[in-house]
């Protein structure tokens, strides 16, 4: 992304500062620090047992904090719990629903214990999660995806600006995941910070703006998920028929600093400027090189994750965003 006009102030809605959980002498969450921005979808990514749910349980006050702090909208959970939780909505593991009631009655029930939830607001959240068609059916007849939608609707009733969903895609079919992604994005675009957890790399890459990778309760690093337009590093594979070394020389003649490597019948060029691809291709063609294929590849989160863990899992290489 191009800077220049001066940095905008970033508002952080959720801040974890050296958050630690020990249970029976075992450290489950280990000195975890990160901040979630207003209007972003932030992922907690880690294998089973990494400490995602334990972290979320601490954030929403379901279990005590051993050490460190959680600040929500600037209010510290310790000492200011009610104020801090005022604008938090969450589903931890499974949504809490009454099976024998209709979806609508469930929302009504919940609305009763929340201040300022109007009938219009109930209709609004039903609309948002697209559950109008089944809202007057009993919850025991709901599919997993429908329960999930109702759970999200319930969590949103009091207009939280921090929404936390533990493994929200669990058990959802591809359509369900697609829909979830869309309405979470809608919420984020309206300023809500959405925190989701998962052990699925590809899913997180599609859903989140940034992802915190957690292993053994520790923050390994935070990855910014880049859109196609924001790519900083693109690998272009040129498939060549004939002499690859000669083709490589053609590209180096154009720019001797070009990052180009040979791999079988392929030339792999690394560039930050995607418009450069056409120019490279033109030069190859003009030099009489037969280009039989061009492929553009962006590094996936998975590749970056694997690359990083291959380095011996350097846990010191932690990129924590600067708090402002
Ligand atoms: N109450 C508890 N007592 C003892 N150990 C616990 C307790 N709660 C969690 N743990 C341990 O803490 C570790 C982290 O568990 P946690 O549920 O936070 O992981 P997770 O990242 O959510 O995993 P998953 O992807 O399976 O949901 C696990 O090793 C688990 O056994
Ligand atoms: Mg979990």
């Amino acid at each position: 992304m191009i800077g220049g006009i001066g940095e905008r102030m970033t508002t952080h809605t959720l801040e974890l500062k050296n958050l630690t959980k020990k249970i029976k002498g075992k450290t489950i969450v280990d000195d975890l620090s990160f901040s979630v921005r207003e209007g972003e979808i932030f992922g907690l990514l880690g294998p089973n047992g990494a400490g995602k749910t334990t972290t979320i349980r601490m954030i929403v006050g379901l279990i005590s904090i051993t050490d460190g702090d959680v600040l929500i909208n600037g209010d510290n959970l310790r000492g200011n719990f009610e104020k801090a939780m005022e604008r938090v909505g969450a589903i931890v593991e499974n949504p809490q629903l009454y099976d024998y009631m209709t979806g609508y009655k469930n929302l009504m029930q919940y609305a009763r214990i929340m201040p300022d939830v109007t009938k219009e607001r109930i209709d609004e959240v039903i609309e948002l999660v697209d559950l109008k068609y089944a809202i007057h059916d009993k919850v025991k007849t709901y599919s997993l995806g429908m329960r999930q939608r109702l759970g999200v609707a319930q969590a949103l009733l009091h207009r939280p600006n921090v929404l936390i969903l533990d493994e929200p895609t669990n058990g959802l079919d591809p359509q369900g995941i697609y829909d979830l992604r869309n309405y979470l994005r809608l919420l984020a675009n309206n300023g809500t910070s959405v925190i989701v957890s998962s052990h699925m790399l590809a899913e997180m890459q599609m859903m989140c703006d940034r992802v915190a990778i957690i292993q053994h309760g520790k923050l390994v690093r935070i990855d910014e998920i880049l859109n196609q337009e924001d790519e900083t590093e693109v690998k272009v594979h040129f498939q060549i028929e004939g002499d690859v070394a000669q083709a490589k020389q053609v590209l180096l003649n154009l720019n001797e600093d070009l990052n180009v490597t040979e791999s079988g019948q392929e030339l792999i060029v690394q560039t930050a400027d995607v418009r450069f691809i056409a120019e490279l291709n033109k030069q190859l063609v003009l030099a009489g090189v037969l280009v039989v294929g061009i492929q553009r590849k962006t590094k996936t989160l998975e590749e970056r994750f694997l690359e990083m863990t291959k380095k011996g899992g350097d846990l010191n290489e932690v990129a924590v965003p600067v708090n402002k």
Side-chain angles (χ1 to χ4, degrees), residues 282-293:
K282 185 174 148 197
Q283 293 304 323
L284 288 170
V285 174
L286 284 176
V289 176
L290 266 179
V291 178
V292 294

Side-chain angles (χ1 to χ4, degrees), residues 45-59:
L45 173 66
N48 295 137
K52 305 179 295 294
T53 301
T54 307
T55 302
I56 290 174
R57 283 177 167 276
M58 279 193 279
I59 297 172

Side-chain angles (χ1 to χ4, degrees), residues 14 35 58 75 87 107 116 175 225 241 263 277 282:
L14 171 69
S35 302
M58 279 193 279
D75 292 306
R87 299 196 66 204
L107 293 180
D116 309 322
Q175 180 68 45
I225 309 298
E241 227 168 72
S263 169
I277 302 170
K282 185 174 148 197

Side-chain angles (χ1 to χ4, degrees), residues 49 52-54 93 166-167 197:
K52 305 179 295 294
T53 301
T54 307
E93 274 159 1
D166 189 19
E167 306 268 359
S197 75

Side-chain angles (χ1 to χ4, degrees), residues 67-102:
D67 223 332
D69 291 289
V70 175
L71 278 82
I72 305 171
N73 297 311
D75 292 306
N76 198 321
L77 219 58
R78 297 178 190 253
N80 221 350
F81 183 78
E82 288 197 356
K83 184 79 170 53
M85 290 305 291
E86 224 167 54
R87 299 196 66 204
V88 177
I91 303 179
V92 185
E93 274 159 1
N94 293 305
Q96 303 296 310
L97 302 167
Y98 296 107
D99 272 357
Y100 59 90
M101 287 185 191
T102 66

